[in-house]
Amino acid sequence: MPRPAHSSACRPAGPEAGQTGVRAEGIAEQLRRDPTVKAEADEGYRGLANEFPVQVSAPPKKTKDDAPLGEHHA
């Protein structure tokens, strides 16, 4: 049965928040040490899913067609 493998203090959101958490909390190192570990991540951790494609699944990157209406004209 899946169980949470990671929990950390709240961090401010932003473009680098995910990578900061990955480095500071040692998530990538845990994945390197134990290849049997599997994780599901949100889109903020897509880089981690790219680095560990067998172990980490993240939603695919949204295409421009999937973007909210306001972002089409930004």
Side-chain angles (χ1 to χ4, degrees), residues 1 7 17 21 23 32 38-39 42 47-49 58-62 65-69 72:
M1 174 178 228
S7 178
R23 285 191 301 270
R32 278 187 200 90
K38 305 283 186 201
D42 65 16
L48 192 64
K61 186 174 183 177
K62 291 182 181 178
D65 293 338
D66 293 337
L69 185 57
H72 283 286

Side-chain angles (χ1 to χ4, degrees), residues 13-14 17-19 22 27 39-50 56-62:
Q19 287 302 318
V22 168
I27 297 170
E40 290 184 28
D42 65 16
E43 62 219 21
Y45 289 85
R46 192 173 297 111
L48 192 64
N50 291 341
V56 180
S57 64
K61 186 174 183 177
K62 291 182 181 178

Side-chain angles (χ1 to χ4, degrees), residues 2-56:
R3 63 182 177 83
H6 174 71
S7 178
S8 67
C10 293
R11 297 185 185 280
E16 296 181 14
Q19 287 302 318
T20 300
V22 168
R23 285 191 301 270
E25 304 296 335
I27 297 170
E29 186 58 34
Q30 289 179 2
L31 291 167
R32 278 187 200 90
R33 280 189 292 194
D34 189 351
T36 64
V37 171
K38 305 283 186 201
E40 290 184 28
D42 65 16
E43 62 219 21
Y45 289 85
R46 192 173 297 111
L48 192 64
N50 291 341
E51 187 175 347
F52 299 96
V54 174
Q55 293 173 268
V56 180

